[in-house]
C-alpha cells in the first residue's frame, strides 16, 4: 500500500505557483521522497526527489519539513502543460532493496487559463 | 524523451492469445522494471530485472513472464490473455547505483484484449 496521502485534486491559475502537498507521516529515516507526474496516459515523468534537505531543479522545488512527515512540491510558474496527475512516493535507496515504486492515487492538478 | 523505448505502442488482440512487449532501457541502465496501469488498479509494479537476473516480483500473474537479455533489453510475455489484461504497460529503467537510482519510464504499450 502507498505510504503517502495526497489531495485528490487541485486547481491552479496559469502563471501562478502550484503547491502540491504530500503527507508521509510514517516515513523511515532511509526513505527518500520522490515526485513523478503523468500527463494523460503518457509514461510517468520523474520530477524531483530528496531525503531531508530542500531540493530544486529546472522543473520544480521540493520542500521537506524538518520532521520529514510531509513535503510540498512547488511548480513556480504553472502552465497549461503542467496539467497532470502528480504522484508522491517514498522509497528506500541502496543495493539489496527492491527499487519498485508504489503509486497511490496521486493529485490531479488542473491548470486553468 | 526519457531515453526508454517501448514497442509496440498499441496492441489489439483476442482473448486466449499471447503477446510480447519489448522495452529498451536507457543507455547504461542495468535495471528494468515493468508496471501495469489499468483503470481500476492504478499503476502497479509487476517485476524487476537487474543485469539479466530477476530481482523482485510484484503483482504479476503466473500467465505473465519476463526476461532481460544480454543486451539489457527486456520482454514481457503475456499469455492466455483475458479481457481484464487490457491496460497500459510501462517499463522503466535505472542505473541501479548503490545510492540514487531514479527510474525513467518509457511511453508505454496500450494492450487491448477483445
Amino acid at each position: 500500500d502507498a505510504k503517502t496521502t495526497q489531495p485528490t485534486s487541485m486547481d491552479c491559475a496559469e502563471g501562478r505557483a502550484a503547491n502540491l502537498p504530500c503527507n508521509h507521516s510514517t516515513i523511515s529515516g532511509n526513505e527518500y521522497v520522490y515526485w513523478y507526474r503523468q500527463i494523460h496516459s503518457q509514461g510517468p515523468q520523474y520530477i524531483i526527489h530528496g531525503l531531508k534537505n530542500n531540493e530544486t531543479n529546472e522543473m520544480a522545488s521540493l520542500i521537506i519539513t524538518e520532521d520529514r512527515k510531509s513535503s510540498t512540491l512547488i511548480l513556480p510558474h504553472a502552465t497549461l502543460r503542467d496539467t497532470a496527475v502528480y504522484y508522491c512516493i517514498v522509497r528506500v535507496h541502496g543495493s539489496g532493496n527492491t527499487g519498485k515504486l508504489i503509486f497511490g492515487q496521486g493529485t490531479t492538478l488542473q491548470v486553468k487559463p | 524523451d526519457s531515453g526508454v523505448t517501448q514497442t509496440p505502442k498499441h496492441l489489439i488482440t483476442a482473448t486466449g492469445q499471447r503477446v510480447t512487449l519489448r522495452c529498451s532501457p536507457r543507455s547504461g541502465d542495468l535495471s528494468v522494471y515493468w508496471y501495469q496501469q489499468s483503470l481500476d488498479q492504478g499503476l502497479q509494479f509487476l517485476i524487476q530485472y537487474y543485469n539479466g537476473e530477476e530481482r523482485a516480483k510484484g503483482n504479476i500473474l503466473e500467465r505473465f513472464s519476463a526476461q532481460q537479455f544480454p543486451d539489457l533489453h527486456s520482454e514481457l510475455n503475456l499469455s492466455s490473455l483475458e479481457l481484464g489484461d487490457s491496460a497500459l504497460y510501462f517499463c522503466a529503467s535505472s542505473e541501479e547505483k548503490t545510492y540514487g537510482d531514479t527510474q525513467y519510464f518509457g511511453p508505454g504499450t496500450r494492450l487491448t484484449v477483445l
Side-chain angles (χ1 to χ4, degrees), chain A residues 30 32 34 49 91-99, chain B residues 30 33 50 55 94-102:
Chain A
N30 60 348
Y32 285 70
Y34 274 78
H49 76 281
R91 60 183 284 247
V92 178
H93 278 189
S95 61
N97 293 300
T98 173
Chain B
L30 298 179
Y33 303 78
Y50 173 76
R55 174 169 273 190
S94 70
E95 282 185 282
E96 206 73 9
K97 290 178 181 175
T98 301
Y99 298 101
D101 51 353
T102 299

Side-chain angles (χ1 to χ4, degrees), chain A residues 32 34 36 38 40-47 49 87 91-105, chain B residues 33 35 37 41-45 48 55-58 88 90 96-108 110:
Chain A
Y32 285 70
Y34 274 78
Y36 281 80
Q38 187 175 26
H40 196 46
S41 294
Q42 298 176 21
Q45 179 187 22
Y46 165 76
I47 301 173
H49 76 281
Y87 297 99
R91 60 183 284 247
V92 178
H93 278 189
S95 61
N97 293 300
T98 173
K100 67 179 180 182
L101 297 172
I102 300 175
F103 289 84
Q105 296 305 307
Chain B
Y33 303 78
Y35 293 84
Q37 186 173 31
Q41 296 285 345
L43 265 159
Q44 290 204 309
F45 167 72
Q48 177 197 359
R55 174 169 273 190
K57 262 186 172 177
L88 281 164
F90 294 105
E96 206 73 9
K97 290 178 181 175
T98 301
Y99 298 101
D101 51 353
T102 299
Q103 291 178 35
Y104 295 91
F105 283 76
R110 181 178 292 278

Side-chain angles (χ1 to χ4, degrees), chain B residues 7-78:
Chain B
T7 56
K9 289 184 78 171
H10 301 278
L11 201 46
I12 301 174
T13 189
T15 54
Q17 295 298 303
R18 172 189 170 95
V19 297
T20 298
L21 313 183
R22 181 187 170 105
C23 169
S24 293
R26 296 186 318 154
S27 177
D29 285 358
L30 298 179
S31 211
V32 170
Y33 303 78
W34 286 96
Y35 293 84
Q36 178 193 55
Q37 186 173 31
S38 58
L39 279 174
D40 57 345
Q41 296 285 345
L43 265 159
Q44 290 204 309
F45 167 72
L46 293 178
I47 196 163
Q48 177 197 359
Y49 275 81
Y50 173 76
N51 204 20
E53 300 290 325
E54 182 186 301
R55 174 169 273 190
K57 262 186 172 177
N59 299 322
I60 188 166
L61 299 171
E62 284 191 14
R63 301 183 286 108
F64 296 0
S65 64
Q67 52 185 327
Q68 186 178 27
F69 294 86
D71 67 351
L72 300 177
H73 91 271
S74 177
E75 293 181 356
L76 180 67
N77 300 296
L78 315 177

